[in-house]
Amino acid sequence: MDAETELGTFRRYRRATMRFVLTHVARVYVAGDSVEDARHVADQWAERDIPSTFGFWDDGRDTPRDVANQYLHALEVLKTGEYLSLKLTALGYSEALLEELAERAAKRGLRLHFDAMDPDSAERTRQVVTAFAARYGSKFPVSYTLPGRWARSIDDAAWASELGLPVRVVKGQFPEASALDPAEGFARVIDALAGKASHVAVATHDVKLGETSLRRLAEKDTSRELELLYGLPMRKSLRSAAELGEKVRVYIGYGRAHVPYAVSKVMDNPKMMLWMARDLLRL
Ligand SMILES: Cc1cc2nc3c(=O)[nH]c(=O)nc-3n(C[C@H](O)[C@H](O)[C@H](O)COP(=O)(O)OP(=O)(O)OC[C@H]3O[C@@H](n4cnc5c(N)ncnc54)[C@H](O)[C@@H]3O)c2cc1C
């Protein structure tokens, strides 16, 4: 074996070992597989006056019916002031399943939020949300996600503001052709929403970006909160929000697919391991 092949094998081995260890560590740090696990974590945050949103993370084994059942169950378990985050792609865009969810959400007066998935799903999701808002707007709120790295998000921001939809701004996990810088794109979307949106969730663990976004929205008197993902480091973000006097919400992901997500985030940025360790000790 030459030196280059040996180095490649070593790196693959090191990555596999890291993934194995992190998967076990992440099981302690993320909510768990069931909505009851998410409820347990949400109740702990609620003691600190921090509300939650629940998001079931499906994997390839879940059918749209399975996913809808998970969402229906969550709609029973969520409390006032919390909301459900859903993935339209995981429901196979099924109108019948959405109808069931709408009925349950309306009964409980809970908000349904549409997470952003791959760019190909964006237009269809926007159409569904438009129809949804027109049909159910008065019964319960619907909200939408704007990824900063997508060029279309500026136009989507104007559309959401016009409809009065609350929005969540994220950097975005899924790139598209325009290849915008996610942080710059995030700031542009915040600018487009300031003074116009009904409510903005600033969803980032990037402390500086979170601060500038919240300040920008405050200048224009726009309703806002910082939203953090349970399972990523959050101690610095929580401190910064407290210093600014801003509200915080936690997104609690659960289900089999959530642990692999948290692990891949840390693998992409190994410094996060240190932040997580500090957070675990101090939170
Ligand atoms: C609530 C929420 C909902 C989301 N929903 C979606 C969605 O629907 N669709 C989607 O595509 N994506 C979603 N995402 C994921 C998002 O798009 C990003 O992939 C993810 O949040 C990582 O980007 P970031 O902005 O949080 O921070 P990163 O790009 O990971 O950057 C983090 C940076 O913050 C700093 N930092 C953070 N914590 C610490 C610490 N403890 N100590 C020191 N420095 C620190 C560091 O400078 C670091 O570089 C969501 C994220 C959140 C938080």
Side-chain angles (χ1 to χ4, degrees), residues 241-260:
E243 281 166 9
L244 292 173
E246 297 288 351
K247 286 185 257 169
V248 180
R249 180 185 297 273
V250 178
Y251 181 128
I252 303 175
Y254 61 96
R256 289 187 301 263
H258 190 248
V259 169

PDB file of all heavy atoms in Angstrom, residues 241-260:
ATOM      1  N   ALA A 241     -29.113  36.196  23.417  1.00  0.00           N
ATOM      2  CA  ALA A 241     -30.534  36.588  23.386  1.00  0.00           C
ATOM      3  C   ALA A 241     -30.943  37.220  24.712  1.00  0.00           C
ATOM      4  O   ALA A 241     -31.678  38.221  24.736  1.00  0.00           O
ATOM      5  CB  ALA A 241     -31.408  35.376  23.075  1.00  0.00           C
ATOM      6  N   ALA A 242     -30.449  36.660  25.815  1.00  0.00           N
ATOM      7  CA  ALA A 242     -30.800  37.209  27.138  1.00  0.00           C
ATOM      8  C   ALA A 242     -30.267  38.634  27.255  1.00  0.00           C
ATOM      9  O   ALA A 242     -30.966  39.536  27.740  1.00  0.00           O
ATOM     10  CB  ALA A 242     -30.240  36.313  28.239  1.00  0.00           C
ATOM     11  N   GLU A 243     -29.023  38.852  26.796  1.00  0.00           N
ATOM     12  CA  GLU A 243     -28.442  40.204  26.875  1.00  0.00           C
ATOM     13  C   GLU A 243     -29.240  41.207  26.050  1.00  0.00           C
ATOM     14  O   GLU A 243     -29.391  42.361  26.419  1.00  0.00           O
ATOM     15  CB  GLU A 243     -26.980  40.173  26.418  1.00  0.00           C
ATOM     16  CG  GLU A 243     -26.074  39.636  27.526  1.00  0.00           C
ATOM     17  CD  GLU A 243     -24.685  39.274  27.023  1.00  0.00           C
ATOM     18  OE1 GLU A 243     -24.348  39.590  25.852  1.00  0.00           O
ATOM     19  OE2 GLU A 243     -23.940  38.665  27.813  1.00  0.00           O
ATOM     20  N   LEU A 244     -29.753  40.740  24.903  1.00  0.00           N
ATOM     21  CA  LEU A 244     -30.534  41.647  24.046  1.00  0.00           C
ATOM     22  C   LEU A 244     -31.989  41.755  24.504  1.00  0.00           C
ATOM     23  O   LEU A 244     -32.759  42.548  23.954  1.00  0.00           O
ATOM     24  CB  LEU A 244     -30.528  41.136  22.600  1.00  0.00           C
ATOM     25  CG  LEU A 244     -29.204  41.169  21.835  1.00  0.00           C
ATOM     26  CD1 LEU A 244     -29.355  40.467  20.490  1.00  0.00           C
ATOM     27  CD2 LEU A 244     -28.756  42.607  21.615  1.00  0.00           C
ATOM     28  N   GLY A 245     -32.374  40.903  25.447  1.00  0.00           N
ATOM     29  CA  GLY A 245     -33.774  40.893  25.911  1.00  0.00           C
ATOM     30  C   GLY A 245     -34.711  40.290  24.876  1.00  0.00           C
ATOM     31  O   GLY A 245     -35.879  40.682  24.786  1.00  0.00           O
ATOM     32  N   GLU A 246     -34.198  39.350  24.081  1.00  0.00           N
ATOM     33  CA  GLU A 246     -35.009  38.743  23.016  1.00  0.00           C
ATOM     34  C   GLU A 246     -35.549  37.381  23.440  1.00  0.00           C
ATOM     35  O   GLU A 246     -34.909  36.666  24.220  1.00  0.00           O
ATOM     36  CB  GLU A 246     -34.164  38.575  21.740  1.00  0.00           C
ATOM     37  CG  GLU A 246     -33.674  39.878  21.138  1.00  0.00           C
ATOM     38  CD  GLU A 246     -34.797  40.690  20.476  1.00  0.00           C
ATOM     39  OE1 GLU A 246     -35.914  40.160  20.334  1.00  0.00           O
ATOM     40  OE2 GLU A 246     -34.554  41.860  20.117  1.00  0.00           O
ATOM     41  N   LYS A 247     -36.713  37.020  22.888  1.00  0.00           N
ATOM     42  CA  LYS A 247     -37.320  35.725  23.206  1.00  0.00           C
ATOM     43  C   LYS A 247     -36.642  34.603  22.418  1.00  0.00           C
ATOM     44  O   LYS A 247     -36.096  34.845  21.324  1.00  0.00           O
ATOM     45  CB  LYS A 247     -38.802  35.755  22.838  1.00  0.00           C
ATOM     46  CG  LYS A 247     -39.621  36.566  23.823  1.00  0.00           C
ATOM     47  CD  LYS A 247     -41.087  36.456  23.494  1.00  0.00           C
ATOM     48  CE  LYS A 247     -41.524  37.722  22.795  1.00  0.00           C
ATOM     49  NZ  LYS A 247     -42.739  37.849  22.180  1.00  0.00           N
ATOM     50  N   VAL A 248     -36.707  33.408  22.997  1.00  0.00           N
ATOM     51  CA  VAL A 248     -36.077  32.243  22.345  1.00  0.00           C
ATOM     52  C   VAL A 248     -37.101  31.117  22.265  1.00  0.00           C
ATOM     53  O   VAL A 248     -37.960  30.985  23.136  1.00  0.00           O
ATOM     54  CB  VAL A 248     -34.865  31.744  23.169  1.00  0.00           C
ATOM     55  CG1 VAL A 248     -34.196  30.532  22.501  1.00  0.00           C
ATOM     56  CG2 VAL A 248     -33.846  32.852  23.375  1.00  0.00           C
ATOM     57  N   ARG A 249     -36.977  30.313  21.221  1.00  0.00           N
ATOM     58  CA  ARG A 249     -37.764  29.086  21.090  1.00  0.00           C
ATOM     59  C   ARG A 249     -36.802  27.964  20.696  1.00  0.00           C
ATOM     60  O   ARG A 249     -35.775  28.208  20.052  1.00  0.00           O
ATOM     61  CB  ARG A 249     -38.832  29.272  20.002  1.00  0.00           C
ATOM     62  CG  ARG A 249     -39.715  28.034  19.799  1.00  0.00           C
ATOM     63  CD  ARG A 249     -40.673  28.245  18.630  1.00  0.00           C
ATOM     64  NE  ARG A 249     -41.607  29.328  18.838  1.00  0.00           N
ATOM     65  CZ  ARG A 249     -42.791  29.196  19.453  1.00  0.00           C
ATOM     66  NH1 ARG A 249     -43.172  28.020  19.901  1.00  0.00           N
ATOM     67  NH2 ARG A 249     -43.586  30.239  19.594  1.00  0.00           N
ATOM     68  N   VAL A 250     -37.153  26.738  21.073  1.00  0.00           N
ATOM     69  CA  VAL A 250     -36.298  25.600  20.729  1.00  0.00           C
ATOM     70  C   VAL A 250     -37.042  24.657  19.784  1.00  0.00           C
ATOM     71  O   VAL A 250     -38.211  24.328  20.029  1.00  0.00           O
ATOM     72  CB  VAL A 250     -35.880  24.832  22.011  1.00  0.00           C
ATOM     73  CG1 VAL A 250     -35.038  23.621  21.656  1.00  0.00           C
ATOM     74  CG2 VAL A 250     -35.096  25.740  22.926  1.00  0.00           C
ATOM     75  N   TYR A 251     -36.373  24.277  18.719  1.00  0.00           N
ATOM     76  CA  TYR A 251     -36.909  23.290  17.772  1.00  0.00           C
ATOM     77  C   TYR A 251     -36.440  21.925  18.246  1.00  0.00           C
ATOM     78  O   TYR A 251     -35.240  21.659  18.281  1.00  0.00           O
ATOM     79  CB  TYR A 251     -36.377  23.608  16.371  1.00  0.00           C
ATOM     80  CG  TYR A 251     -36.840  22.697  15.248  1.00  0.00           C
ATOM     81  CD1 TYR A 251     -37.392  23.234  14.083  1.00  0.00           C
ATOM     82  CD2 TYR A 251     -36.715  21.311  15.307  1.00  0.00           C
ATOM     83  CE1 TYR A 251     -37.818  22.427  13.030  1.00  0.00           C
ATOM     84  CE2 TYR A 251     -37.132  20.498  14.271  1.00  0.00           C
ATOM     85  CZ  TYR A 251     -37.679  21.062  13.141  1.00  0.00           C
ATOM     86  OH  TYR A 251     -38.085  20.248  12.099  1.00  0.00           O
ATOM     87  N   ILE A 252     -37.413  21.090  18.635  1.00  0.00           N
ATOM     88  CA  ILE A 252     -37.047  19.764  19.123  1.00  0.00           C
ATOM     89  C   ILE A 252     -37.323  18.725  18.037  1.00  0.00           C
ATOM     90  O   ILE A 252     -38.484  18.402  17.749  1.00  0.00           O
ATOM     91  CB  ILE A 252     -37.803  19.435  20.431  1.00  0.00           C
ATOM     92  CG1 ILE A 252     -37.499  20.531  21.470  1.00  0.00           C
ATOM     93  CG2 ILE A 252     -37.390  18.058  20.958  1.00  0.00           C
ATOM     94  CD1 ILE A 252     -38.264  20.402  22.748  1.00  0.00           C
ATOM     95  N   GLY A 253     -36.240  18.261  17.436  1.00  0.00           N
ATOM     96  CA  GLY A 253     -36.369  17.218  16.421  1.00  0.00           C
ATOM     97  C   GLY A 253     -36.333  15.865  17.121  1.00  0.00           C
ATOM     98  O   GLY A 253     -35.638  15.701  18.112  1.00  0.00           O
ATOM     99  N   TYR A 254     -37.117  14.937  16.623  1.00  0.00           N
ATOM    100  CA  TYR A 254     -37.084  13.594  17.197  1.00  0.00           C
ATOM    101  C   TYR A 254     -37.362  12.600  16.064  1.00  0.00           C
ATOM    102  O   TYR A 254     -37.743  12.994  14.960  1.00  0.00           O
ATOM    103  CB  TYR A 254     -38.106  13.446  18.345  1.00  0.00           C
ATOM    104  CG  TYR A 254     -39.536  13.652  17.924  1.00  0.00           C
ATOM    105  CD1 TYR A 254     -40.357  12.578  17.609  1.00  0.00           C
ATOM    106  CD2 TYR A 254     -40.050  14.942  17.813  1.00  0.00           C
ATOM    107  CE1 TYR A 254     -41.666  12.769  17.198  1.00  0.00           C
ATOM    108  CE2 TYR A 254     -41.352  15.142  17.401  1.00  0.00           C
ATOM    109  CZ  TYR A 254     -42.161  14.060  17.095  1.00  0.00           C
ATOM    110  OH  TYR A 254     -43.444  14.260  16.677  1.00  0.00           O
ATOM    111  N   GLY A 255     -37.157  11.320  16.382  1.00  0.00           N
ATOM    112  CA  GLY A 255     -37.305  10.308  15.338  1.00  0.00           C
ATOM    113  C   GLY A 255     -35.943   9.768  14.956  1.00  0.00           C
ATOM    114  O   GLY A 255     -34.923  10.396  15.250  1.00  0.00           O
ATOM    115  N   ARG A 256     -35.955   8.638  14.271  1.00  0.00           N
ATOM    116  CA  ARG A 256     -34.691   7.949  13.958  1.00  0.00           C
ATOM    117  C   ARG A 256     -33.715   8.798  13.150  1.00  0.00           C
ATOM    118  O   ARG A 256     -32.525   8.643  13.244  1.00  0.00           O
ATOM    119  CB  ARG A 256     -34.986   6.667  13.161  1.00  0.00           C
ATOM    120  CG  ARG A 256     -35.639   5.564  13.958  1.00  0.00           C
ATOM    121  CD  ARG A 256     -35.710   4.304  13.114  1.00  0.00           C
ATOM    122  NE  ARG A 256     -36.466   4.508  11.894  1.00  0.00           N
ATOM    123  CZ  ARG A 256     -37.756   4.191  11.747  1.00  0.00           C
ATOM    124  NH1 ARG A 256     -38.403   3.638  12.736  1.00  0.00           N
ATOM    125  NH2 ARG A 256     -38.378   4.413  10.607  1.00  0.00           N
ATOM    126  N   ALA A 257     -34.251   9.721  12.324  1.00  0.00           N
ATOM    127  CA  ALA A 257     -33.356  10.473  11.432  1.00  0.00           C
ATOM    128  C   ALA A 257     -32.673  11.645  12.128  1.00  0.00           C
ATOM    129  O   ALA A 257     -31.778  12.259  11.572  1.00  0.00           O
ATOM    130  CB  ALA A 257     -34.138  10.979  10.232  1.00  0.00           C
ATOM    131  N   HIS A 258     -33.086  11.980  13.354  1.00  0.00           N
ATOM    132  CA  HIS A 258     -32.530  13.178  13.967  1.00  0.00           C
ATOM    133  C   HIS A 258     -31.097  12.984  14.444  1.00  0.00           C
ATOM    134  O   HIS A 258     -30.261  13.872  14.304  1.00  0.00           O
ATOM    135  CB  HIS A 258     -33.419  13.667  15.118  1.00  0.00           C
ATOM    136  CG  HIS A 258     -33.003  15.015  15.607  1.00  0.00           C
ATOM    137  ND1 HIS A 258     -32.462  15.204  16.850  1.00  0.00           N
ATOM    138  CD2 HIS A 258     -33.002  16.216  15.002  1.00  0.00           C
ATOM    139  CE1 HIS A 258     -32.171  16.496  16.975  1.00  0.00           C
ATOM    140  NE2 HIS A 258     -32.488  17.123  15.874  1.00  0.00           N
ATOM    141  N   VAL A 259     -30.805  11.794  14.978  1.00  0.00           N
ATOM    142  CA  VAL A 259     -29.441  11.562  15.469  1.00  0.00           C
ATOM    143  C   VAL A 259     -28.426  11.639  14.313  1.00  0.00           C
ATOM    144  O   VAL A 259     -27.442  12.386  14.407  1.00  0.00           O
ATOM    145  CB  VAL A 259     -29.343  10.227  16.234  1.00  0.00           C
ATOM    146  CG1 VAL A 259     -27.900   9.862  16.510  1.00  0.00           C
ATOM    147  CG2 VAL A 259     -30.113  10.336  17.555  1.00  0.00           C
ATOM    148  N   PRO A 260     -28.677  10.940  13.187  1.00  0.00           N
ATOM    149  CA  PRO A 260     -27.710  11.073  12.080  1.00  0.00           C
ATOM    150  C   PRO A 260     -27.515  12.514  11.630  1.00  0.00           C
ATOM    151  O   PRO A 260     -26.424  12.926  11.268  1.00  0.00           O
ATOM    152  CB  PRO A 260     -28.340  10.241  10.948  1.00  0.00           C
ATOM    153  CG  PRO A 260     -29.246   9.288  11.634  1.00  0.00           C
ATOM    154  CD  PRO A 260     -29.703   9.946  12.907  1.00  0.00           C
TER     155      PRO A 260
END
